[in-house]
């Protein structure tokens, strides 16, 4: 049986790194893409020799997408079983206090980068029967997050893209799935919360919300790729938000008025 292959953006740390390890344990060949070259080397070093190929690339760069996927699929015999659209940044804070530069960068990477991966990746995925586009959304895509509205808006976009493409690509034999994790213990949580001297991690833990391990997300990624659910939720907070958004909208509205990311 031919070796399966997964291409992971944001593969230099956090969720991408954990997912690379999970799929490599199953014998998959892994393509790792990130702007962080040292992070790519670190992740590749965690995998068995010959299991990984690394690509220093920015998901906003469409030409780099084509070059990287051409090279990776040439090495896998044309296979691309999973494209994991995972790269993202966690810049937050009240929108009135965000710079236009930060706002544009979050949108360009978190949503534009995912759109680039989907549009460009389609031709490669279509060549592999039973392939899957897997996107990283967020619990912020369940209900708009006060203090993180730009980030939240991009993740709502990722969720919409996932649902729409799961229908649009059905005839091509491509599954489209997303992960909906709550707060995951990754470097993203070191991002400052607004203009305060506290990190998003500080705000989350002070609010009494739990952090989930990246290994939990990696296991969820494996289930998502092999299952039928469009959305795979990870972490107690994600499930609580899902429940509250459906059954207790007034309560969650009041919570957002207090502001999870308020100083």
């Amino acid at each position: 049986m031919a070796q399966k292959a997964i291409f992971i953006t944001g593969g230099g740390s956090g969720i991408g790194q954990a997912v690379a390890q999970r799929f490599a344990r199953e014998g998959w060949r892994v393509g790792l893409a990130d702007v962080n070259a040292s992070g790519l080397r670190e992740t590749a070093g965690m995998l068995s020799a010959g299991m990984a190929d690394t690509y220093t690339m920015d998901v906003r760069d469409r030409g780099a997408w084509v070059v990287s996927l051409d090279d990776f699929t040439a090495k896998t015999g044309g296979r691309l079983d999973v494209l994991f659209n995972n790269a993202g940044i966690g810049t937050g804070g009240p929108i009135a206090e965000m710079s236009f530069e930060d706002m544009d960068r979050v949108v360009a990477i978190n949503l534009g980068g995912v759109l680039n991966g989907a549009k460009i990746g389609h031709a490669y995925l279509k060549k592999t029967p039973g392939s899957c586009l897997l996107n990283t959304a967020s619990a912020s895509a369940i209900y708009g997050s006060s203090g993180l509205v730009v980030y939240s808006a991009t993740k709502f976009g990722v969720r919409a893209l996932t649902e729409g493409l799961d229908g649009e690509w059905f005839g091509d034999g491509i599954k489209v799935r997303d992960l909906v994790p709550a707060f995951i213990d990754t470097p993203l949580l070191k991002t400052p919360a607004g203009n305060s001297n506290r990190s998003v991690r500080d705000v989350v833990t002070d609010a009494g919300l739990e952090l989930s391990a990246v290994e939990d997300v990696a296991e969820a990624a494996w289930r998502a790729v092999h299952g039928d659910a469009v959305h795979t939720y990870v972490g107690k907070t994600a499930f609580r938000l899902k429940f509250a958004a459906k059954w207790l909208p007034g309560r969650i509205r009041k919570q957002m008025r207090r502001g999870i990311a308020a100083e």
Side-chain angles (χ1 to χ4, degrees), residues 58-114:
D58 188 321
V59 293
R60 294 171 292 183
D61 185 341
R62 292 166 181 164
W65 269 105
V66 174
V67 170
S68 299
L69 288 174
D70 276 351
D71 183 81
F72 182 60
T73 53
K75 293 175 178 176
T76 64
R79 290 193 74 99
L80 183 61
D81 296 271
V82 177
L83 194 165
F84 184 23
N85 250 333
N86 170 65
I89 58 175
T91 305
I95 192 170
E97 298 175 10
M98 284 186 76
S99 67
F100 282 112
E101 290 77 14
D102 281 345
M103 190 168 66
D104 290 346
R105 185 164 177 262
V106 172
V107 173
I109 294 173
N110 290 9
L111 183 55
V114 172

Side-chain angles (χ1 to χ4, degrees), residues 10 13-22 25 46 84 86 179 181 183-189 211-222 234:
S13 65
I15 292 172
Q17 188 173 84
V19 169
Q21 291 177 286
R22 179 66 180 86
R25 284 202 304 271
M46 296 175 175
F84 184 23
N86 170 65
L179 302 176
F183 297 102
I184 309 301
D185 198 3
T186 73
L188 277 181
L189 292 186
L211 300 178
S212 297
V214 289
E215 291 78 14
D216 294 341
V217 188
E219 196 59 44
W222 181 261
V234 189

